[in-house]
Amino acid sequence: MSAASPVRKVGRPRAVARPRSGLSPREEILAAAAELFTTHGYAATTTRALAERVGIRQASLYHYFGGKEDLLAELLESTVRPSLEAVGALAGATPEERLWELCHRDARLLCSGPYNLGALYLLPEVRTERFAGFRGMREELKGVYGRLLAETPAGAALAPADRRLRTDLLFALIEGVILIRRDTPGELAADVIETLAAATADAALRLAGVGDRQGLGGSGGDAAGPA
């Protein structure tokens, strides 16, 4: 190539000019998918509609994602990955405190954001092999709940089968905030999210047989603050 030859720019042009959002094109596509999947439905949303929502050509969307399934997988995993990544940094001194903090973080994550991504768990497509990675991450997170429960005196006193059942109930309680969000349109206010997450974590401790958070020693009282 001669010195006078123009250099091709990396990226894909927009079909429609849109105001700058501060997001990368990939993040804009994910935001559009979150909106359309939760408001219009996953099956009813086409890649053309996603591209139009972002203001790019349909072919440009495939520069970032292989298709709708890739977008759905990324959105699903985003509801679990932060909780898994936070496990090693749980600040509680006792298993009870760490269990409360994990429940609080997880419930707050599911309550946050402009769209109720947890509602996507109920899609029949999620049961297919394509989303085995997400299901594996979710099972891994439930396993953390089970281990923390087993480390508490109340959990240790349970028979293995009873402890597995109690773990299932704990996990279902936390994910129950998804149904609360489904009945509350729009994004939840920060104070509502905090109240709901703390109340859910408190209920989780009672379900675990630990008692109230106020009875925890160490840093349990500090775990209620933002992470």
Side-chain angles (χ1 to χ4, degrees):
M1 182 171 62
S2 67
S5 299
V7 178
R8 291 176 61 88
K9 294 183 179 180
V10 177
R12 295 294 184 271
R14 289 186 180 275
V16 179
R18 289 172 54 82
R20 291 186 177 274
S21 64
L23 302 176
S24 68
R26 188 177 189 279
E27 290 169 335
E28 285 191 334
I29 294 169
L30 281 169
E35 177 186 0
L36 295 181
F37 290 172
T38 56
T39 58
H40 291 213
Y42 175 73
T45 300
T46 64
T47 53
R48 180 181 296 277
L50 286 165
E52 290 176 351
R53 181 69 183 86
V54 179
I56 61 176
R57 295 178 174 83
Q58 187 177 11
S60 298
L61 185 146
Y62 293 104
H63 176 65
Y64 299 98
F65 294 95
K68 279 173 49 175
E69 288 188 338
D70 288 358
L71 283 161
L72 179 57
E74 178 60 31
L75 291 174
L76 290 169
E77 291 174 12
S78 73
T79 67
V80 179
R81 188 183 299 110
S83 294
L84 282 174
E85 292 175 346
V87 167
L90 294 177
T94 68
E96 292 88 348
E97 291 163 8
R98 293 196 298 275
L99 179 60
W100 188 92
E101 187 180 347
L102 177 61
C103 291
H104 178 257
R105 283 174 176 265
D106 210 9
R108 186 173 59 193
L109 176 63
L110 291 171
C111 290
S112 300
Y115 306 108
N116 186 12
L117 297 181
L120 301 175
Y121 292 4
L122 304 178
L123 290 172
E125 290 84 357
V126 176
R127 296 195 293 269
T128 64
E129 182 61 26
R130 172 62 184 83
F131 300 98
F134 161 68
R135 296 197 305 274
M137 291 174 65
R138 186 167 169 267
E139 283 301 311
E140 182 181 353
L141 181 59
K142 183 160 69 172
V144 176
Y145 277 81
R147 289 194 296 275
L148 287 174
L149 175 62
E151 291 174 8
T152 68
L158 295 170
D162 292 335
R163 190 159 54 244
R164 286 193 296 272
L165 175 59
R166 193 71 60 93
T167 299
D168 287 342
L169 291 171
L170 272 174
F171 205 57
L173 173 64
I174 301 304
E175 291 190 343
V177 300
I178 294 168
L179 299 179
I180 296 175
R181 281 208 68 182
R182 190 177 64 180
D183 296 332
T184 307
E187 185 171 3
L188 299 180
D191 59 333
V192 174
I193 292 173
E194 177 57 36
T195 298
L196 180 54
T200 304
D202 288 347
L205 284 191
R206 291 191 289 272
L207 178 59
V210 172
D212 292 331
R213 176 174 33 127
Q214 287 75 12
L216 299 181
S219 61
D222 296 332

